[in-house]
């Protein structure tokens, strides 16, 4: 089993916002990757952005700069 | 073969469109249905095309909805916004993709009125305004007649509609990709487009640009890739109006078509099409026995020239053109019944020549000569 560590997880209302997040994080060199939204956040099959906690400021800059809608930013063990 | 039926669908397309579709067919999974590479490939491709269209029509990326064609878009919008007791205003220029949903809604208690046109096929914003009633919910009108190429002044119509709190819905089948449209500047709430005409994408692609905040009841419900355990369709746009697997392969091709338009310049492509249409118009207008339909006094018009030769049936002329000259045109009613009634051409129909930026002056000269020979025969 993979060891869990604290991660920053951004949940999105839909796929379009998740894809925008990936595009603009990549474009600006902000670390992270798309994951399936953890069930502790919501049941279903949406996407979330997972990054190291220290990326929080950069992640928020991308969210605000691109007007990306979220359903919350969480710190959870993954 | 010389193809002058681009108002029906594009025949000449950039090679990049075919390559993009082929690449997508080979590698693309189902968009928004997983985190594996093939699915993400589809999600990324579709996102990129959505973003390009949002930039083209002046709306947010999430406000671009993909459908299978403009007919589906118009059905979705009209059935999703109009309720029994509502009134809508349209025009006699419309295609059946607008009229038939309205006739069906009429049976369910929606009223509508159609603004008439002048002898050249123009409809005025003031004529549309004169039909507004207390219960008018929406104006739905074409941006350009698919029969004459005449443009409607959507900005002025939209302005008048919005002054009264009335929604403005535009059928952009003949203009998306060649005429600039901006939802905000043009006072448009929903702009419906098809992907396979001037946007140069494959058939089976289309969509709509929806003003932020406008809620349209879904026509279809089903899989969305999100909110699986909700019983209803998600509220979020675009998933709200996109139940089921999207045509990712086609949308990839549509993206290549948009890239081509951006690389060439929309204005340059439009000028070339208009130049060829104008050259054809000037070539045939003096030929005895030729009757032309539409307003050719205006420079800005969709590149369409419809005509008849003497009393000949339009279908006969169109067959003659294809069999003897290899020239492809569209004859008959063009799914625009009220326009033909206005021109008195219900029986004869019209022969429609519609031009693409891929057509040439030589092809256009041949078409003029073909019309001359048929008229002189």
């Amino acid at each position: 089993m993979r060891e869990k560590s604290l991660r920053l997880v951004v949940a999105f209302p839909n796929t379009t916002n998740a894809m925008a997040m990936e595009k603009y994080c990549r474009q600006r060199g902000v670390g992270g990757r798309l994951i399936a939204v953890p069930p502790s956040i919501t049941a279903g099959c949406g996407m979330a952005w997972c990054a190291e906690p220290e990326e929080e400021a950069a992640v928020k800059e991308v969210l605000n700069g691109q007007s990306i809608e979220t359903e919350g930013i969480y710190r959870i063990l993954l | 073969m010389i193809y002058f039926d681009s108002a029906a669908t594009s025949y000449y397309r950039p090679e990049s469109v075919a390559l993009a579709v082929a690449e997508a067919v080979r590698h693309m999974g189902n968009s928004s249905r997983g985190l594996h590479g093939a699915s993400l490939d589809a999600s990324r491709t579709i996102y990129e095309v959505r973003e390009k269209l949002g930039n083209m029509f002046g709306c947010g990326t999430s406000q671009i909805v993909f459908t299978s064609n403009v007919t589906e878009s118009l059905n979705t919008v009209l059935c999703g916004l109009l309720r029994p007791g509502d009134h809508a205003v349209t025009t006699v220029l419309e295609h059946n993709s607008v009229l038939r949903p309205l006739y069906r809604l009429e049976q369910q208690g929606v009223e509508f009125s159609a603004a008439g046109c002048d002898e050249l096929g123009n409809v005025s914003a003031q004529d549309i305004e004169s039909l507004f009633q207390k219960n008018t919910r929406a104006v739905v009108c074409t941006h350009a007649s698919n029969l004459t190429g005449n443009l409607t002044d959507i900005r002025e119509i939209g302005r008048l509609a919005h002054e009264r709190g009335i929604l403005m819905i535009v059928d952009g089948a003949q203009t998306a990709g060649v005429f600039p449209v901006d939802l905000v500047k043009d006072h448009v709430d929903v702009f419906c487009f098809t992907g396979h005409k001037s946007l140069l994408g494959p058939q089976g692609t289309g969509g709509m640009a929806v003003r932020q905040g406008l809620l349209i009841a879904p026509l279809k419900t089903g899989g969305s890739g999100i909110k699986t355990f909700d019983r209803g369709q998600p509220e979020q746009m675009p998933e709200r109006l996109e139940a089921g697997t999207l045509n990712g392969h086609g949308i990839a091709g549509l993206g290549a078509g948009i890239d081509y338009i951006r690389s060439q310049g929309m204005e340059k492509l439009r000028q070339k099409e208009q130049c060829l249409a104008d050259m054809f118009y000037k070539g045939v207008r003096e030929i005895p026995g030729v009757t032309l339909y539409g307003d050719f006094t205006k420079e800005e018009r969709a590149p369409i020239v419809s005509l008849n030769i003497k009393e000949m049936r339009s279908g006969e002329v169109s067959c003659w053109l294809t069999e003897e000259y290899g020239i492809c045109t569209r004859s008959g009613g063009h799914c625009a019944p009220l326009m033909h009634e206005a021109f008195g051409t219900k029986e004869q129909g019209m022969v429609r020549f519609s031009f693409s930026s891929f057509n040439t002056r030589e092809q256009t000269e041949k078409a003029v000569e073909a019309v001359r020979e048929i008229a002189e025969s």
Side-chain angles (χ1 to χ4, degrees):
Chain A
M1 182 179 266
R2 287 191 289 190
E3 195 176 325
K4 291 187 176 182
S5 60
L6 195 66
R7 307 279 181 166
L8 186 78
V9 176
V10 184
F12 303 101
N14 62 5
T15 307
T16 305
N17 282 285
M19 301 319 296
M21 186 65 180
E22 184 192 53
K23 174 176 176 172
Y24 290 103
C25 281
R26 295 265 182 275
Q27 205 173 80
R28 285 159 178 71
V30 177
R33 65 190 174 91
L34 287 169
I35 61 167
V37 64
S40 57
I41 295 177
T42 182
C45 42
M47 296 178 194
W49 185 252
C50 177
E52 297 299 327
E54 53 267 31
E55 295 277 11
E56 184 166 357
V59 162
K60 284 183 174 171
E61 204 174 305
V62 172
L63 290 171
N64 294 332
Q66 298 300 320
S67 302
I68 295 170
E69 292 175 47
T70 77
E71 285 193 338
I73 303 173
Y74 305 84
R75 281 172 182 258
I76 55 176
L77 277 173
L78 284 178
Chain B
M1 185 185 90
I2 302 174
Y3 189 83
F4 285 122
D5 199 15
S6 294
T9 193
S10 284
Y11 176 81
Y12 307 110
R13 289 185 173 84
E15 181 62 12
S16 57
V17 172
L19 292 174
V21 174
E23 182 71 9
V25 167
R26 290 191 188 102
H27 301 295
M28 193 178 268
N30 196 339
S31 165
S32 188
R33 301 298 193 272
L35 272 299
H36 58 78
S39 177
L40 284 176
D41 182 26
S43 297
R44 288 173 184 133
T45 301
I46 289 172
Y47 175 82
E48 288 297 327
V49 182
R50 217 185 277 285
E51 191 176 71
K52 287 168 191 170
L53 287 164
N55 290 335
M56 184 177 274
F57 300 130
C59 67
T61 307
S62 293
Q63 297 304 114
I64 295 291
V65 174
F66 287 114
T67 61
S68 56
N69 47 47
V70 71
T71 299
E72 185 185 340
S73 303
L74 287 160
N75 271 268
T76 301
V77 176
L78 294 173
C79 296
L81 289 174
L82 298 174
R83 293 287 168 266
D86 286 343
H87 172 254
V89 177
T90 189
T91 79
V92 295
L93 275 59
E94 306 310 314
H95 189 276
N96 271 336
S97 56
V98 167
L99 295 174
R100 284 184 172 156
L102 287 176
Y103 290 133
R104 192 170 64 164
L105 285 163
E106 193 175 38
Q107 292 172 352
Q108 298 165 14
V110 173
E111 297 174 74
F112 77 93
S113 314
C117 63
D118 64 18
E119 69 281 4
L120 296 177
N122 291 311
V123 64
S124 78
Q126 288 65 37
D127 284 348
I128 288 176
E129 186 188 27
S130 71
L131 296 173
F132 289 169
Q133 303 176 180
K134 276 186 179 171
N135 60 338
T136 302
R137 169 93 167 119
V139 173
V140 51
C141 78
T142 186
H143 192 184
S145 162
N146 72 315
L147 197 50
T148 65
N150 289 2
L151 292 177
T152 53
D153 186 353
I154 57 167
R155 182 172 293 188
E156 178 62 6
I157 298 166
R159 190 187 67 76
L160 292 170
H162 283 183
E163 268 184 6
R164 303 272 287 269
I166 295 167
L167 297 169
M168 177 66 178
I169 303 163
V170 176
D171 170 5
Q174 297 299 333
T175 57
V178 281
F179 284 89
V181 172
D182 184 295
L183 291 196
V184 177
K185 288 181 193 162
D186 290 322
H187 308 284
V188 173
D189 293 286
V190 187
F191 182 77
C192 299
F193 59 90
T194 193
H196 67 96
K197 295 183 181 178
S198 295
L199 283 168
L200 303 172
Q203 294 175 7
T205 60
M208 53 187 140
V210 181
R211 189 247 302 155
Q212 185 86 32
L214 178 65
L215 285 181
I216 300 171
L219 190 66
K220 302 181 295 182
T221 56
S224 59
I226 60 166
K227 316 280 181 193
T228 293
F229 298 98
D230 291 357
R231 290 193 168 196
Q233 196 66 13
E235 292 292 311
Q236 288 82 9
M237 288 283 280
E239 283 86 351
R240 181 179 172 83
L241 302 177
E242 284 185 350
T245 297
L246 291 177
N247 176 8
H249 303 148
I251 292 168
L254 175 60
I258 296 166
D259 287 343
Y260 174 82
I261 292 165
R262 297 202 313 186
S263 71
Q264 299 293 308
M266 186 187 286
E267 193 176 342
K268 181 180 146 195
L269 295 177
R270 183 172 74 249
Q271 282 173 352
K272 182 167 181 206
E273 292 175 358
Q274 288 174 333
C275 183
L276 292 172
D278 187 56
M279 178 184 165
F280 178 75
Y281 162 72
K282 286 174 177 159
V284 299
R285 67 181 169 182
E286 304 297 346
I287 298 173
V290 169
T291 304
L292 289 152
Y293 304 90
D295 186 351
F296 294 92
T297 64
K298 291 173 180 159
E299 276 185 30
E300 285 294 333
R301 60 194 327 283
I304 290 170
V305 181
S306 290
L307 56 79
N308 273 316
I309 300 177
K310 301 173 190 169
E311 303 302 318
M312 290 174 70
R313 284 187 305 108
S314 61
E316 189 183 347
V317 174
S318 196
C319 278
W320 197 336
L321 285 165
T322 193
E323 287 167 5
E324 299 298 325
Y325 302 95
I327 293 173
C328 305
T329 58
R330 170 84 191 272
S331 60
H334 314 83
C335 304
L338 302 184
M339 190 85 270
H340 279 285
E341 283 176 12
F343 280 117
T345 50
K346 197 172 168 182
E347 300 300 323
Q348 191 177 15
M350 293 182 197
V351 185
R352 182 183 69 186
F353 293 75
S354 50
F355 297 80
S356 153
S357 59
F358 289 95
N359 285 125
T360 64
R361 293 179 67 85
E362 291 71 30
Q363 289 177 333
T364 307
E365 283 166 5
K366 282 181 184 170
V368 171
E369 282 317 301
V371 171
R372 188 187 310 282
E373 284 180 21
I374 293 171
E376 287 173 355
S377 65

